[in-house]
Amino acid sequence: GVLFAVLLSVWVARSQQVRLSDTVSAAVRREAHVAGQFISGLLDEQQRQLLQLASLPEFSNDVHDVGAIRLVMERVRSFHPEFEWLAVTDARGVVLSATGARLERSDMRHTEWFVQGQLGAWVGQPSAAGPLAPYLPPDAQGHPPMLVDVAAPVLDLEGRVQGVLVARMNWGWVVEQQARLTAYDNTARDNLLLSPRGEVWLGPSEVQGTVLK
């Protein structure tokens, strides 16, 4: 099949933009556009669901009602197992409530998802699981899964930011959805999605996570 590399120049939930090598053909560019639109649509939907969750009374009324909030997040995760972890922080970045009670009371103020989530709905790049890694099953290669962070501010009844809601989504789920899309397209199976530093985010399992020189 045709092999191409997509370099992510901007990773924004509503408008993923890709930069392609000038040497690739128009057909490959079309394939890249379809793949980008598909992945963008998946992430848009996850972001929409998180915004709806953040607007529920359980969050807007009192983020410190940790039991009620955890119950809501556990219910969401039961329908969306691609979310490895959902959590809500206070305004200082301390985790108040989380699925499985994991990392509760941890200080997350320096994480990108907390910093960006205070400003508005945000989707991050695939990244390492970090402190969540010990709680996650390994991927097919025996490594902790890559995660994509989806975050949104939690507002009180007067519109003030009182915390951040985050969902850390298993990137493998996105890979699986893309695999279904390309299952009957032999030319698309070898497509690679690369990070700006050349790390393979999406492609054949044997090269995922490696850095192309």
Side-chain angles (χ1 to χ4, degrees):
V2 178
L3 180 66
F4 72 92
V6 181
L7 305 179
L8 295 191
S9 58
V10 178
W11 184 275
V12 182
R14 301 187 186 281
S15 58
Q16 275 73 20
Q17 299 178 12
V18 296
R19 175 167 53 85
L20 298 178
S21 168
D22 291 337
T23 60
V24 299
S25 68
V28 173
R29 289 176 185 271
R30 285 194 296 271
E31 289 180 16
H33 178 73
V34 171
Q37 289 296 311
F38 179 75
I39 294 172
S40 178
L42 290 178
L43 297 176
D44 277 348
E45 175 60 21
Q46 303 302 326
Q47 186 184 65
R48 184 186 65 80
Q49 292 181 18
L50 198 72
L51 285 169
Q52 289 182 342
L53 184 61
S55 67
L56 292 179
E58 288 85 349
F59 293 86
S60 59
N61 288 342
D62 184 8
V63 292
H64 292 84
D65 190 353
V66 296
I69 288 177
R70 187 186 301 117
L71 183 62
V72 171
M73 293 190 297
E74 295 286 7
R75 187 180 303 120
V76 170
R77 190 171 183 275
S78 70
F79 289 103
H80 297 278
E82 66 271 18
F83 291 150
E84 294 287 0
W85 186 66
L86 291 104
V88 66
T89 74
D90 63 14
R92 299 173 299 161
V94 176
V95 177
L96 297 175
S97 184
T99 51
R102 293 170 178 168
L103 304 179
E104 288 185 350
R105 295 181 293 279
S106 297
D107 186 350
M108 297 293 180
R109 59 183 166 176
H110 297 303
T111 61
E112 190 174 14
W113 59 258
F114 175 74
V115 173
Q116 299 295 335
Q118 295 179 91
L119 305 177
W122 176 82
V123 177
Q125 298 179 357
S127 60
L132 200 60
Y135 302 101
L136 304 179
D139 61 19
Q141 286 71 47
H143 305 300
M146 300 285 285
L147 303 178
V148 174
D149 298 334
V150 185
V154 177
L155 308 178
D156 64 17
L157 297 178
E158 296 182 0
R160 296 171 299 195
V161 176
Q162 60 176 342
V164 170
L165 175 64
V166 64
R168 303 205 69 190
M169 183 177 67
N170 195 317
W171 176 248
W173 176 79
V174 177
V175 174
E176 290 175 1
Q177 304 308 306
Q178 174 69 7
R180 292 180 183 178
L181 179 69
T182 60
Y184 302 102
D185 185 351
N186 291 329
T187 65
R189 292 178 186 175
D190 292 329
N191 292 348
L192 302 181
L193 177 64
L194 305 183
S195 74
R197 59 184 291 266
E199 183 179 4
V200 179
W201 282 345
L202 190 152
S205 59
E206 61 270 18
V207 298
Q208 286 182 30
T210 61
V211 177
L212 300 185
K213 304 297 184 180

